Amino acid sequence: MIADDRLNYSFCLRNECLNNVADYYSAPIAIFGFFVDVLVLVATVGGILVALMSYLGSKDTSNFTNHISHLSLFQEFFVGEVNKRDRLSISSFDVYRVYFMVFPGSKDGDFVPGEDYSYFLTEVNNAINESNRKFTSGSIPPFSYQQHQTAMIDCFRMIGLSLQHVPKLDFFEIENQVLDLLETINKSFIGGHESLKVNERLYR
């Protein structure tokens, strides 16, 4: 046992007494202070993590709710617009494929048009431009509505639309209604971006 005369006195609150106690127990006090700081840090980090997890959980729930709401709205709108067009049948479309091509990030709360949809419209416009060129320039080989049908059918298949070869005038009516449907979707859900517009058709 180690004796220390500095602590060999009765209860005392004088500065000298308190300083002696502080000096004598400086190491334990420092260790205790360190552990208190660690506990405060752990509690702070834990609180931040709990808040972060709560935020992420709330955000995921909100994203999912928005996704379901947006998908339902799109589906209802799409079916209604198809039913307005007498040459189209909803049974020929894969509505979910169309939706997820247009809004691939919907489940994460991202409603920006997807690259695949932009590519699809680019391919449609390429087919239109090629038919326009052949129709107006008298090129060889000349414009062929059979080849045009094949090109457009291949394009429409990208969004899950299944079409068959039909007589020329029938196909042009179907094509008109499909492209008008796409334009309506673009204006209603995407805001009519210039890059997503369908080109004018000159062939007949």
Side-chain angles (χ1 to χ4, degrees):
M1 181 175 180
I2 300 175
D4 193 327
D5 291 338
R6 291 178 301 172
L7 299 178
N8 190 19
Y9 42 69
S10 59
F11 182 75
C12 173
L13 292 177
R14 296 198 308 273
N15 286 340
E16 181 182 359
C17 298
L18 295 177
N19 288 336
N20 287 338
V21 172
D23 289 342
Y24 191 80
Y25 291 106
S26 60
I29 290 174
I31 293 173
F32 178 77
F34 170 76
F35 280 110
V36 169
D37 290 342
V38 170
L39 289 175
V40 170
L41 177 62
V42 170
T44 301
V45 173
I48 293 174
L49 289 176
V50 169
L52 177 60
M53 295 301 294
S54 176
Y55 167 76
L56 292 177
S58 175
K59 186 173 184 295
D60 288 342
T61 301
S62 176
N63 286 344
F64 181 74
T65 301
N66 290 338
H67 162 67
I68 294 298
S69 176
H70 194 254
L71 173 58
S72 298
L73 177 64
F74 182 90
Q75 183 179 18
E76 181 179 351
F77 178 87
F78 191 91
V79 172
E81 289 298 317
V82 169
N83 289 337
K84 292 178 183 178
R85 294 163 171 81
D86 62 336
R87 302 308 301 265
L88 304 182
S89 171
I90 194 62
S91 62
S92 299
F93 290 89
D94 183 340
V95 180
Y96 294 103
R97 183 170 178 177
V98 175
Y99 179 80
F100 284 109
M101 176 175 276
V102 181
F103 303 110
S106 173
K107 290 182 179 179
D108 299 320
D110 181 3
F111 299 103
V112 175
E115 292 183 2
D116 287 346
Y117 186 62
S118 297
Y119 176 75
F120 157 70
L121 290 178
T122 297
E123 289 298 294
V124 169
N125 283 329
N126 286 341
I128 291 173
N129 291 340
E130 180 64 13
S131 292
N132 283 343
R133 184 187 67 80
K134 289 182 177 180
F135 184 80
T136 59
S137 67
S139 65
I140 299 176
F143 171 74
S144 165
Y145 79 87
Q146 293 98 336
Q147 292 178 357
H148 173 75
Q149 279 195 37
T150 298
M152 296 302 285
I153 288 173
D154 288 344
C155 288
F156 292 147
R157 190 178 294 117
M158 295 171 63
I159 59 170
L161 171 57
S162 177
L163 295 178
Q164 304 297 324
H165 285 81
V166 294
K168 177 180 178 180
L169 294 180
D170 290 335
F171 187 83
F172 283 161
E173 288 182 8
I174 294 171
E175 178 185 286
N176 285 341
Q177 293 190 5
V178 172
L179 296 179
D180 182 63
L181 173 64
L182 293 175
E183 290 276 22
T184 302
I185 291 173
N186 291 345
K187 291 176 182 177
S188 300
F189 283 86
I190 304 175
H193 287 238
E194 287 294 327
S195 61
L196 300 179
K197 287 188 175 181
V198 177
N199 291 346
E200 181 183 4
R201 286 160 292 145
L202 304 177
Y203 50 84
R204 291 292 183 271

